[in-house]
Amino acid sequence: MGADVNERSLLGPADLSDGQLAFLVARGLGADPERVTLLDSLADAVDYALPSLTTAGRYWVDGHVSVDGEPQAFRVFCKHVQSWSRSPLFSFVPVDARPWAEVSVPWRTEPLVYRSDLARRLPDGLAMPRALGVFDLDETSSAVWLEALPVDAVEWDLPRYVHAARLLGRLAASPRVRELARIGRHPSTVRDYLSGRLRYQVLPTLRSDALWQHPLVAATFDRDLREGLRRVAEGAPQLMGELAGMPLGTAHGDACPNNLLVSPGREGFVLIDFGFWSERPIGYDLAQLVVGEIQLGQRSAQDLAELDEACLEAYCEGLVAEGSSVATEVVRRAHALQLVLFNGLSSVPFELLGSPPTAEAHAVARERSRIAAYSLDLLAATVPA
């Protein structure tokens, strides 16, 4: 990259003027913006394979600025978020479901979170990237500019999961955090999942005999598991009603290990991806924490029961640390309901059914079937609160 070269066309509408970018870099460096001049910059797409309904792009912007005449390198992160209706994936939504689908995913939440003072409210051990600037691009999209944090590639062993669960329990019950639980101004509840994805995709598919005859599914989801999932599917309205009546807490909404970063020099975790930040039934974040990597094929479900129990106990410890009086058995029941409704019923690898049943696909289906089986067992082992 040479002097006076600025190539950020990849950012499209999320791009800034050179002056605006220099101002954000100055903010990140803690320098007087009047003494900072942009010398060069280059935008590059972040290597991120997982699809997102509301993310139009993720970018690194690297370059150099002059601070009081001295060149200094910088790196910042830009995330372009938008309404799901603008995503290519929206074309797969049935026409009659599109009005519901468009409003069901709260794309505005993340910009609002980064405009807030949440960072100062998080329990010790949790942090979030510093927002350098948040810009509304039009009525259905925004750009969020963040500091670039170094990240350690760490092993998620049992102690790390337990530590994360304890902090998520504190997050759920923290009175200071709770004041921002509804910052997304999105009126959705867990019942919306029943009237949305379950109604239009999951339940009709589970009722289809053709699904269970597919080679990938037939080889990994046995008859008992199939019948168990179908029974829960038929009782989903009642189970969702029970879940909706559970005590509420603040939820990150997608607290999988991918969104709990470990950064050098920081205690605990750095939270990212706040698109589903909301007020949810207690225990909501536990499900994604314990099965997120399994769903992605990055971890075996062999020790799921042990992992889940340890994380649930730690989560409850976190609740108590913030003054919550919700009983452990209530949390366990809420977690069981959420795990089976949001993960167990959708554990069949729908996205792989149109592809050849390779060994890799069978491995994913096998681990997903273990999630389903465990979710049914946990539900059966708990009783309504």
Side-chain angles (χ1 to χ4, degrees):
M1 198 183 308
D4 300 321
V5 174
N6 290 287
E7 177 47 63
R8 304 190 302 273
S9 59
L10 186 64
L11 298 175
D15 196 11
L16 304 172
S17 68
D18 289 351
Q20 287 175 311
L21 180 56
F23 181 87
L24 295 192
V25 173
R27 175 179 288 180
L29 295 174
D32 181 353
E34 296 295 327
R35 298 181 177 181
V36 176
T37 303
L38 183 68
L39 299 179
D40 56 65
S41 60
L42 177 67
D44 192 17
V46 174
D47 183 14
Y48 194 85
L50 300 178
S52 173
L53 300 180
T54 60
T55 301
R58 301 175 180 86
Y59 310 96
W60 294 119
V61 178
D62 295 280
H64 298 84
V65 292
S66 171
V67 182
D68 289 331
E70 294 294 325
Q72 188 164 340
F74 73 86
R75 165 172 270 198
V76 292
F77 175 78
C78 174
K79 185 175 184 179
H80 182 181
V81 297
Q82 63 183 11
S83 167
W84 182 18
S85 64
R86 296 173 66 160
S87 166
L89 297 174
F90 198 71
S91 63
F92 295 100
V93 178
V95 174
D96 62 336
R98 289 181 182 179
W100 161 82
E102 182 174 1
V103 301
S104 68
V105 183
W107 73 270
R108 292 182 177 85
T109 300
E110 191 154 36
L112 289 169
V113 165
Y114 279 112
R115 282 179 167 134
S116 76
D117 67 343
L118 176 61
R120 294 197 293 270
R121 297 170 179 261
L122 292 171
D124 291 342
L126 291 178
M128 57 189 288
R130 182 185 175 194
L132 303 177
V134 181
F135 302 88
D136 294 327
L137 306 179
D138 52 43
E139 291 185 356
T140 56
S141 66
S142 299
V144 178
W145 290 76
L146 306 173
E147 65 176 335
L149 294 174
V151 176
D152 282 337
V154 297
E155 177 188 359
W156 273 78
D157 55 12
L158 183 59
R160 195 176 304 280
Y161 275 102
V162 166
H163 186 36
R166 186 174 294 109
L167 290 173
L168 289 171
R170 294 196 62 188
L171 179 79
S174 166
R176 282 173 49 79
V177 172
R178 186 67 176 272
E179 294 175 5
L180 296 180
R182 299 184 180 183
I183 194 172
R185 306 169 192 168
H186 197 265
S188 70
T189 69
V190 289
R191 291 182 187 274
D192 294 324
Y193 186 70
L194 174 66
S195 60
R197 188 184 179 206
L198 286 183
R199 173 189 173 189
Y200 286 104
Q201 182 192 41
V202 178
L203 300 186
T205 307
L206 293 180
R207 294 175 183 134
S208 169
D209 290 336
L211 169 70
W212 308 106
Q213 295 168 5
H214 189 285
L216 190 61
V217 179
T220 52
F221 287 72
D222 62 27
R223 180 175 179 178
D224 288 344
L225 183 53
R226 177 189 70 196
E227 295 305 319
L229 289 174
R230 280 181 159 176
R231 282 194 300 271
V232 169
E234 296 309 316
Q238 292 74 33
L239 294 174
M240 194 68 81
E242 182 188 348
L243 178 60
M246 289 290 183
L248 299 175
T250 306
H252 173 274
D254 189 12
C256 58
N258 280 345
N259 293 334
L260 296 166
L261 306 182
V262 176
S263 186
R266 291 176 181 253
E267 295 283 337
F269 304 91
V270 179
L271 299 173
I272 61 169
D273 285 359
F274 292 90
F276 290 97
W277 174 271
S278 58
E279 186 177 55
R280 290 293 187 220
I282 206 75
Y284 187 87
D285 280 332
L286 275 173
Q288 275 302 96
L289 177 66
V290 298
V291 304
E293 287 192 314
I294 301 172
Q295 290 173 318
L296 297 175
Q298 298 171 354
R299 180 184 177 90
S300 168
Q302 187 171 358
D303 63 346
L304 177 54
E306 176 189 2
L307 174 66
D308 190 51
E309 182 61 25
C311 286
L312 186 137
E313 291 179 3
Y315 182 93
C316 291
E317 292 171 3
L319 293 178
V320 171
E322 293 292 337
S324 171
S325 59
V326 179
T328 297
E329 290 312 306
V330 172
V331 180
R332 192 185 308 276
R333 178 64 177 181
H335 172 50
L337 290 166
Q338 287 165 138
L339 187 65
V340 77
L341 290 168
F342 287 83
N343 302 98
L345 290 182
S346 58
S347 58
V348 173
F350 302 115
E351 76 280 11
L352 300 178
L353 300 185
S355 305
T358 61
E360 292 78 8
H362 274 282
V364 170
R366 181 182 64 251
E367 300 306 316
R368 299 269 191 93
S369 71
R370 289 175 172 175
I371 294 175
Y374 177 73
S375 72
L376 293 177
D377 290 344
L378 187 63
L379 184 69
T382 58
V383 296

